[in-house]
Amino acid sequence: MCRWLAYSGSPIVLEELLYKPAHSLIDQSLHARMGVETTNGDGFGIGWYPADHGEPDHVEEPAVFRGIGPAWSDRNLRELAHCVRSPLFVAHIRASTGTAVQETNCHPFRFQRWLWLHNGAIHDFPRLKRDLVLAVDDSLYPSIEGSTDSELMFYLALTFGLRDDVPGAVERMAGFVETTAARHGVADPLQMTVAVSEGEQLWAFRYSSAHASRSLFFSTSVQALRALHPDNPVLRRASEDTRVIVSEPLGDLPGAWNPVPESSYAVVREGRDAIRAFRPRAGAV
Amino acid sequence: MCRWLAYSGSPIVLEELLYKPAHSLIDQSLHARMGVETTNGDGFGIGWYPADHGEPDHVEEPAVFRGIGPAWSDRNLRELAHCVRSPLFVAHIRASTGTAVQETNCHPFRFQRWLWLHNGAIHDFPRLKRDLVLAVDDSLYPSIEGSTDSELMFYLALTFGLRDDVPGAVERMAGFVETTAARHGVADPLQMTVAVSEGEQLWAFRYSSAHASRSLFFSTSVQALRALHPDNPVLRRASEDTRVIVSEPLGDLPGAWNPVPESSYAVVREGRDAIRAFRPRAGAV
Amino acid sequence: MCRWLAYSGSPIVLEELLYKPAHSLIDQSLHARMGVETTNGDGFGIGWYPADHGEPDHVEEPAVFRGIGPAWSDRNLRELAHCVRSPLFVAHIRASTGTAVQETNCHPFRFQRWLWLHNGAIHDFPRLKRDLVLAVDDSLYPSIEGSTDSELMFYLALTFGLRDDVPGAVERMAGFVETTAARHGVADPLQMTVAVSEGEQLWAFRYSSAHASRSLFFSTSVQALRALHPDNPVLRRASEDTRVIVSEPLGDLPGAWNPVPESSYAVVREGRDAIRAFRPRAGAV
Amino acid sequence: MCRWLAYSGSPIVLEELLYKPAHSLIDQSLHARMGVETTNGDGFGIGWYPADHGEPDHVEEPAVFRGIGPAWSDRNLRELAHCVRSPLFVAHIRASTGTAVQETNCHPFRFQRWLWLHNGAIHDFPRLKRDLVLAVDDSLYPSIEGSTDSELMFYLALTFGLRDDVPGAVERMAGFVETTAARHGVADPLQMTVAVSEGEQLWAFRYSSAHASRSLFFSTSVQALRALHPDNPVLRRASEDTRVIVSEPLGDLPGAWNPVPESSYAVVREGRDAIRAFRPRAGAV
């Protein structure tokens, strides 16, 4: 089982979220509280959209930094988290469910402006993998670099139109995985929380075929939190539209976290956010 | 371009071949002489069949040790080469032609009792990969772990019957790659020297679609060498049937190395060896 | 906190102890039960004296294999454990107490025929380090490669005569650390379990300045165990003089493990073993 | 032998210098032209002072990113070089002269606001190391993390007052190394090009005891270059005071590079630069 975090809001230095909170994500790499596996030491990754300072050559594509050791002891991660500032970033710590520990299997996965990260698994993946790979679009196929179910889910979603309709494509991906699994006699194949972004919006999905999905939380509105905790310095600096989505709550601020409901997704964009129902679309290809 | 070595003969400690000769394989990782790339620093691997000391629980499957750093500075490799003894082993140093530097892309690749290593490339591999992957047998497909052309060639050869007829399966693999490439308009797709073994015999192939194959050499008979160099201690210890096959000659023993001819393969087994013609078999699937 | 294991007895394949037992050492790298830290993911190492098969060039020095990732996911470790056979070996999994995660900080440390591994710490090590380093013999000093307290303890013990009198040298080392700490006003500086060997005998120390030492266990006599568990296949194959010393018990064989008492050491050699009192010798230099 | 680069001028994205020029530093990691060793594959590092965008929490200390694999295949380095912008940065590619390949031995070394990188060696370092280490100030000693001569030279220079008088401290360090070597009968002990910075100024030293120092070049004035090459886009964007100092010239711009003379140092600061004589100060402690 993995752990992840996604941030959207006023640009902040990454360590504010990755290292400083009590029970931070990096702390969770050693001591997660929720779920079966408490250690997430099989690699990690961060992806961030650079803060825009008005340079003529501003980069719009996200940068990615990944490592195969545990996050808790990685000095380069600590360095970057200390100096990189971003208005939208994601981080992931991995507990392998069997595939090799290598950078190409570390999240986030990137395609053009898109970042994808996943916690969960496709059940009986080795049996289903070939049929799932065959469904990936010819032009996308050569970009697959690793061997995980997570990356393949990303390329299936891209095949099913992620760049035009994010929730629709993820629903078609989920439906296709379930249809394929049914053909092979694999029950309840999909378990996922997923984060996706293109740099402007952030989507977070919570779903599992068995309707027993892994935990997912989003932060409540900064305004509401400020009213409750007028002296908290982090909250005072955060912009109104700042949101954090996490596998497992950070910190110890009562009232800060709401669970994302079973079979639903959250979408966060400047000034607005929403929770909607998620329904796999069967027979998608 | 990569470099490799394969040994069959009386059991020796690996460092005798990997480190001690002038211009040894490890030395070649820093300073190869032949070919375009002179540095092979993108990972390495060794595979060996353990010497049999008559233990009741003797292991017959080969062991594999792989690393993603350069071979020249790997201390664990030096340790193992100093203490592992084997009658049949292979070693590979990698210069990536684009795929990721990760253990699952390091040679040798292993399937059951079989080891495979490759120097060369499939031209325009990203364009051809999907069609090649589709031809891999359903039951073998889940064992593919990496993303290289080299590993895929192994699984195609396994699909085409490697375990029953080594030269035939490699010829069918080569023919299938060429047929697939022709369909995509890719000229001269295959460049390869390949070593294969199951622990008893050792096969080494030299072929390229353009008939301009990378170098490959095998050692001349130990008897002949001893007559020429009666004082050489390594030769005195080596059994009659000892053979070494290499991408690039080791040492400075005049008369020690013969080139494997273009479009041919060598087979080495106890007490016998042979060189035969290699002809891809088109339309193999 | 680290975890370690030392084996002396009839030659066995390493995986018998490292992977196969319930609650094996590799399992403890993810889920140790005793002590504060439950994860030991900051590197690992094994050291072994090769089994002697009567080859003329038999190697008597131990081999060492170390890695900086977690032991639980290291494929090379699994390969070696599957094929290396040894009559005397040690293994260590590390949880760093602050020093860098790098191979030169992984145990076991080796000097000539000697292996050393340690669980524990020197309290306030950065304050004491310089004075401790100054006491290392001039001729030994250049062999120090890493930056840990553990390796420095080894070089101090070597300086104090480890090669001639193991218990005496370790007692002088402990005394010197305590004297140096007292001069700097550091209370209760030493916490250690230590294993040492030269290939014939195996010593295991349990001591801490505060007399609250970390756990250490040795296996009871094989004969006694066989009487209790006549059907156990591992016990049937083990020679009479086989002994295992561990930070934390392996397996679930009732009666298999005895605690090494506070402030004492065990010495294991062919056919004999003993537990003796351990007393630091102050003012040793 | 190593290779390094130091940049001071208008903030640029690192890849402009690290990847884009013909014969860039990353290219030199595979194919250096000058000096004995042509491969620098034993780790690398970059250090940069973050561009100041007026944030209230602007970080003034430099960030450091180091890796133990070859620079040419490191994907994280490529990512960072693509998105990090800095007005003053350094980069180093390492060819080990014997010490371990580990992050704590990779340049640049950092102490507070200071960065240090070195190409060269202290001859017979294992013999001299202990006496050199003893001269390091007590309060600085615990910050030494690696095992190289290069890092030790940095801590000696800090001990001798680097933070108050850079050229004086480096001269005293060089003198002390030579005095210590003379006492041990080691001739011509020091070979160095060194870069140092605190974020405002940049110093580059070229010296060797035998007066046969490794190559070092600085870029000529941007104004002069622009007159010669009016169409070059990089030159058009660069500010007047931009300077680059390198072990080996980048690119193929005739007239762009001047050698730093034997036994001298360059200092670069906003709007001014100078070359001055370098003379070790013997008997410095």
Side-chain angles (χ1 to χ4, degrees):
Chain A
M1 198 176 62
C2 309
R3 285 284 175 268
W4 59 260
L5 168 160
Y7 174 90
S8 169
S10 37
I12 62 166
V13 174
L14 272 55
E15 70 179 0
E16 292 287 336
L17 270 185
L18 296 185
Y19 289 92
K20 290 193 178 167
H23 199 54
S24 73
L25 192 73
I26 303 306
D27 186 44
Q28 290 177 34
S29 67
L30 259 176
H31 307 290
R33 290 175 191 156
M34 299 180 158
V36 185
E37 288 296 345
T38 57
T39 304
N40 296 277
D42 298 332
F44 65 87
I46 54 175
W48 68 96
Y49 297 87
D52 187 349
H53 300 292
E55 297 94 347
D57 54 352
H58 174 65
V59 173
E60 301 215 321
E61 295 207 347
V64 168
F65 173 73
R66 306 193 284 191
I68 58 174
W72 68 76
S73 64
D74 197 277
R75 295 184 173 205
N76 288 322
L77 177 61
R78 195 172 286 269
E79 291 286 316
L80 292 188
H82 186 62
C83 74
V84 167
R85 184 185 299 275
S86 169
L88 202 164
F89 64 92
V90 296
H92 188 275
I93 51 177
R94 186 168 180 244
S96 169
T97 52
T99 45
V101 177
Q102 55 194 27
E103 282 183 22
T104 56
N105 285 350
C106 290
H107 309 224
F109 302 101
R110 176 178 58 193
F111 184 79
Q112 295 167 355
R113 293 195 49 166
W114 294 80
L115 291 177
W116 173 280
L117 34 79
H118 169 229
N119 172 26
I122 294 178
H123 191 54
D124 257 338
F125 181 55
R127 272 171 72 192
L128 309 182
K129 184 173 182 182
R130 194 167 185 274
D131 283 0
L132 297 177
V133 165
L134 295 193
V136 173
D137 189 83
D138 267 28
S139 65
L140 293 166
Y141 178 79
S143 298
I144 298 178
E145 284 202 307
S147 56
T148 60
D149 46 4
S150 305
E151 185 189 25
L152 187 49
M153 287 163 65
F154 182 27
Y155 279 88
L156 286 170
L158 284 163
T159 299
F160 296 145
L162 188 75
R163 285 166 287 182
D164 297 318
D165 170 13
V166 171
V170 178
E171 288 178 340
R172 277 185 286 272
M173 177 276 290
F176 180 71
V177 169
E178 293 185 335
T179 305
T180 304
R183 214 171 55 238
H184 285 267
V186 173
D188 294 336
L190 191 58
Q191 172 64 266
M192 72 178 212
T193 67
V194 161
V196 199
S197 183
E198 29 59 295
E200 305 288 331
Q201 304 178 63
L202 176 65
W203 293 262
F205 297 84
R206 181 174 184 230
Y207 176 74
S208 58
S209 308
H211 303 293
S213 301
R214 295 184 175 183
S215 59
L216 191 64
F217 298 85
F218 65 98
S219 60
T220 54
S221 88
V222 171
Q223 222 169 352
L225 280 172
R226 277 205 206 102
L228 285 166
H229 309 275
D231 299 331
N232 186 296
V234 176
L235 295 177
R236 253 182 298 170
R237 265 181 296 170
S239 66
E240 295 298 315
D241 56 350
T242 293
R243 294 292 180 275
V244 186
I245 305 181
V246 291
S247 304
E248 198 164 300
L250 316 177
D252 47 8
L253 220 48
W257 301 99
N258 296 313
V260 175
E262 180 68 57
S263 301
S264 62
Y265 68 94
V267 53
V268 175
R269 71 199 73 174
E270 218 176 287
R272 287 169 299 160
D273 47 29
I275 303 271
R276 303 211 178 92
F278 179 87
R279 289 181 203 87
R281 304 191 194 179
V285 177
Chain B
M1 199 178 60
C2 309
R3 285 282 174 269
W4 59 260
L5 168 160
Y7 174 90
S8 168
S10 37
I12 62 166
V13 174
L14 273 54
E15 70 179 359
E16 292 287 337
L17 270 186
L18 296 185
Y19 287 92
K20 290 193 178 170
H23 199 56
S24 74
L25 192 74
I26 303 306
D27 187 44
Q28 291 177 35
S29 68
L30 258 176
H31 307 290
R33 290 176 191 156
M34 299 180 158
V36 185
E37 289 297 344
T38 57
T39 305
N40 296 278
D42 299 332
F44 65 87
I46 55 175
W48 69 96
Y49 296 87
D52 187 351
H53 300 292
E55 296 94 349
D57 55 352
H58 173 64
V59 173
E60 301 215 322
E61 294 208 347
V64 168
F65 173 72
R66 306 193 284 191
I68 59 173
W72 68 76
S73 64
D74 197 278
R75 294 182 174 206
N76 288 322
L77 178 60
R78 195 172 285 269
E79 290 286 316
L80 292 187
H82 185 64
C83 74
V84 167
R85 184 184 300 272
S86 169
L88 202 162
F89 64 91
V90 297
H92 189 276
I93 51 178
R94 187 168 179 244
S96 169
T97 51
T99 44
V101 177
Q102 55 194 26
E103 282 183 21
T104 55
N105 285 349
C106 290
H107 309 224
F109 301 101
R110 176 179 58 193
F111 184 80
Q112 295 167 354
R113 293 197 47 167
W114 295 81
L115 291 178
W116 173 280
L117 34 79
H118 170 231
N119 173 26
I122 294 178
H123 191 53
D124 258 337
F125 181 56
R127 272 170 72 193
L128 309 181
K129 184 173 182 182
R130 194 168 187 272
D131 283 1
L132 298 175
V133 164
L134 295 192
V136 172
D137 189 83
D138 268 28
S139 65
L140 294 166
Y141 178 80
S143 298
I144 297 178
E145 284 201 307
S147 57
T148 61
D149 46 4
S150 305
E151 186 190 26
L152 187 49
M153 289 162 64
F154 182 27
Y155 279 88
L156 286 170
L158 284 163
T159 298
F160 296 145
L162 188 76
R163 284 166 288 182
D164 297 319
D165 170 12
V166 171
V170 177
E171 288 179 340
R172 278 186 284 274
M173 177 275 290
F176 179 71
V177 169
E178 294 186 336
T179 305
T180 304
R183 213 171 56 238
H184 284 268
V186 174
D188 294 337
L190 192 57
Q191 172 64 267
M192 71 178 213
T193 66
V194 161
V196 199
S197 183
E198 30 58 295
E200 304 288 332
Q201 304 178 63
L202 175 65
W203 293 262
F205 296 84
R206 181 174 184 229
Y207 176 73
S208 58
S209 308
H211 302 294
S213 301
R214 296 184 174 184
S215 60
L216 192 63
F217 297 85
F218 65 98
S219 61
T220 55
S221 88
V222 171
Q223 222 169 352
L225 280 173
R226 278 205 205 101
L228 285 166
H229 310 274
D231 299 332
N232 186 295
V234 177
L235 295 176
R236 253 182 298 170
R237 265 180 297 170
S239 66
E240 295 297 315
D241 57 350
T242 293
R243 294 292 180 275
V244 186
I245 306 181
V246 290
S247 304
E248 199 165 299
L250 317 177
D252 46 9
L253 219 50
W257 301 99
N258 296 312
V260 174
E262 180 68 57
S263 301
S264 63
Y265 69 93
V267 53
V268 175
R269 72 199 74 173
E270 217 177 287
R272 288 169 299 158
D273 47 29
I275 302 271
R276 303 212 176 92
F278 180 87
R279 290 182 201 85
R281 304 190 193 179
V285 178
Chain C
M1 197 176 61
C2 309
R3 285 284 174 267
W4 60 260
L5 168 160
Y7 174 90
S8 168
S10 36
I12 61 165
V13 174
L14 272 54
E15 70 180 0
E16 293 286 338
L17 269 186
L18 296 186
Y19 288 92
K20 290 192 177 170
H23 200 54
S24 74
L25 192 73
I26 303 305
D27 187 44
Q28 290 177 33
S29 68
L30 260 176
H31 307 291
R33 289 175 191 154
M34 298 180 159
V36 185
E37 288 296 343
T38 58
T39 305
N40 296 278
D42 299 332
F44 64 86
I46 54 175
W48 68 95
Y49 297 87
D52 187 351
H53 300 292
E55 297 95 348
D57 54 353
H58 173 65
V59 173
E60 301 216 322
E61 294 207 347
V64 168
F65 173 71
R66 306 193 284 190
I68 58 173
W72 68 75
S73 64
D74 197 277
R75 294 182 174 207
N76 288 322
L77 177 61
R78 195 172 285 269
E79 291 285 317
L80 293 188
H82 186 63
C83 74
V84 167
R85 184 185 299 273
S86 169
L88 202 162
F89 64 91
V90 297
H92 188 275
I93 51 177
R94 187 168 178 243
S96 169
T97 52
T99 45
V101 177
Q102 55 193 26
E103 281 183 21
T104 56
N105 285 351
C106 290
H107 310 223
F109 302 101
R110 176 179 58 194
F111 184 80
Q112 296 168 353
R113 293 195 50 167
W114 295 81
L115 291 178
W116 173 280
L117 34 79
H118 169 230
N119 172 26
I122 294 177
H123 191 54
D124 257 338
F125 181 55
R127 272 170 72 192
L128 308 183
K129 184 174 182 182
R130 193 168 186 273
D131 283 0
L132 298 176
V133 165
L134 294 192
V136 173
D137 188 84
D138 268 28
S139 65
L140 294 166
Y141 178 80
S143 298
I144 298 178
E145 284 202 307
S147 56
T148 59
D149 46 4
S150 304
E151 186 190 25
L152 187 49
M153 287 163 65
F154 182 27
Y155 279 89
L156 285 170
L158 285 163
T159 298
F160 296 144
L162 188 75
R163 284 166 287 182
D164 298 318
D165 169 13
V166 170
V170 177
E171 288 178 340
R172 278 186 284 273
M173 177 275 291
F176 179 70
V177 169
E178 293 185 335
T179 305
T180 304
R183 214 170 55 237
H184 285 267
V186 174
D188 293 338
L190 191 57
Q191 172 64 267
M192 72 178 211
T193 66
V194 161
V196 198
S197 183
E198 30 59 294
E200 304 287 332
Q201 303 178 63
L202 175 65
W203 293 261
F205 297 85
R206 181 174 184 229
Y207 176 73
S208 58
S209 309
H211 302 293
S213 301
R214 296 185 175 184
S215 60
L216 191 64
F217 298 84
F218 65 99
S219 60
T220 54
S221 88
V222 172
Q223 223 169 352
L225 280 173
R226 277 205 206 105
L228 285 166
H229 310 276
D231 299 332
N232 186 296
V234 176
L235 295 177
R236 253 183 298 171
R237 265 180 297 171
S239 67
E240 296 296 315
D241 57 350
T242 293
R243 292 293 180 277
V244 186
I245 305 181
V246 291
S247 304
E248 199 164 300
L250 316 176
D252 47 9
L253 219 49
W257 301 100
N258 296 313
V260 174
E262 180 67 57
S263 302
S264 62
Y265 69 94
V267 52
V268 174
R269 72 199 72 174
E270 217 176 287
R272 288 170 298 160
D273 46 29
I275 303 269
R276 302 212 177 92
F278 180 87
R279 288 182 202 88
R281 303 191 194 178
V285 177
Chain D
M1 198 176 61
C2 309
R3 286 282 175 267
W4 59 259
L5 167 160
Y7 174 90
S8 168
S10 36
I12 61 167
V13 174
L14 272 55
E15 70 179 0
E16 293 287 337
L17 269 186
L18 295 186
Y19 288 92
K20 290 194 178 169
H23 199 55
S24 74
L25 192 74
I26 303 306
D27 187 44
Q28 291 177 34
S29 68
L30 258 177
H31 307 291
R33 291 175 190 156
M34 299 179 159
V36 185
E37 288 297 343
T38 58
T39 304
N40 296 278
D42 299 332
F44 65 86
I46 54 175
W48 69 96
Y49 297 88
D52 187 350
H53 300 293
E55 296 94 348
D57 54 354
H58 174 65
V59 173
E60 301 216 322
E61 294 207 347
V64 167
F65 173 72
R66 305 193 286 191
I68 58 173
W72 68 75
S73 64
D74 197 277
R75 295 181 172 206
N76 288 323
L77 178 60
R78 196 173 285 270
E79 290 286 316
L80 292 188
H82 186 62
C83 74
V84 167
R85 184 185 299 274
S86 169
L88 202 162
F89 64 92
V90 297
H92 188 275
I93 51 178
R94 185 167 180 245
S96 168
T97 52
T99 44
V101 177
Q102 54 194 27
E103 282 183 21
T104 56
N105 284 349
C106 291
H107 309 223
F109 302 101
R110 175 179 58 193
F111 184 80
Q112 295 167 354
R113 294 195 49 168
W114 295 81
L115 291 178
W116 173 280
L117 34 80
H118 169 230
N119 172 27
I122 294 178
H123 191 54
D124 257 338
F125 180 56
R127 272 170 70 193
L128 308 183
K129 184 173 181 180
R130 194 168 186 274
D131 283 2
L132 298 176
V133 164
L134 295 193
V136 172
D137 189 83
D138 267 27
S139 65
L140 294 165
Y141 178 80
S143 298
I144 297 178
E145 283 201 308
S147 56
T148 61
D149 46 4
S150 304
E151 186 190 25
L152 187 49
M153 288 163 64
F154 182 28
Y155 278 89
L156 285 170
L158 284 163
T159 298
F160 296 145
L162 188 76
R163 284 165 287 181
D164 298 319
D165 170 12
V166 171
V170 178
E171 289 178 339
R172 277 186 285 273
M173 177 276 290
F176 180 71
V177 169
E178 293 186 335
T179 304
T180 304
R183 213 170 54 237
H184 285 267
V186 174
D188 294 337
L190 192 57
Q191 172 64 267
M192 73 178 212
T193 66
V194 161
V196 199
S197 183
E198 30 59 296
E200 304 288 331
Q201 304 177 64
L202 176 64
W203 292 263
F205 297 84
R206 183 175 183 228
Y207 175 74
S208 58
S209 308
H211 302 294
S213 301
R214 296 185 173 182
S215 59
L216 192 64
F217 298 85
F218 65 98
S219 61
T220 54
S221 88
V222 171
Q223 222 169 352
L225 279 173
R226 278 206 206 102
L228 284 166
H229 309 274
D231 298 332
N232 186 297
V234 176
L235 295 176
R236 254 185 296 171
R237 264 180 297 170
S239 68
E240 295 297 316
D241 57 349
T242 294
R243 294 291 180 277
V244 186
I245 305 181
V246 290
S247 304
E248 200 165 299
L250 317 176
D252 47 8
L253 218 49
W257 301 100
N258 296 312
V260 174
E262 180 68 57
S263 301
S264 63
Y265 70 93
V267 53
V268 174
R269 72 199 74 174
E270 218 176 287
R272 287 169 298 160
D273 47 29
I275 303 271
R276 303 213 177 92
F278 179 87
R279 290 182 203 87
R281 304 191 195 179
V285 178

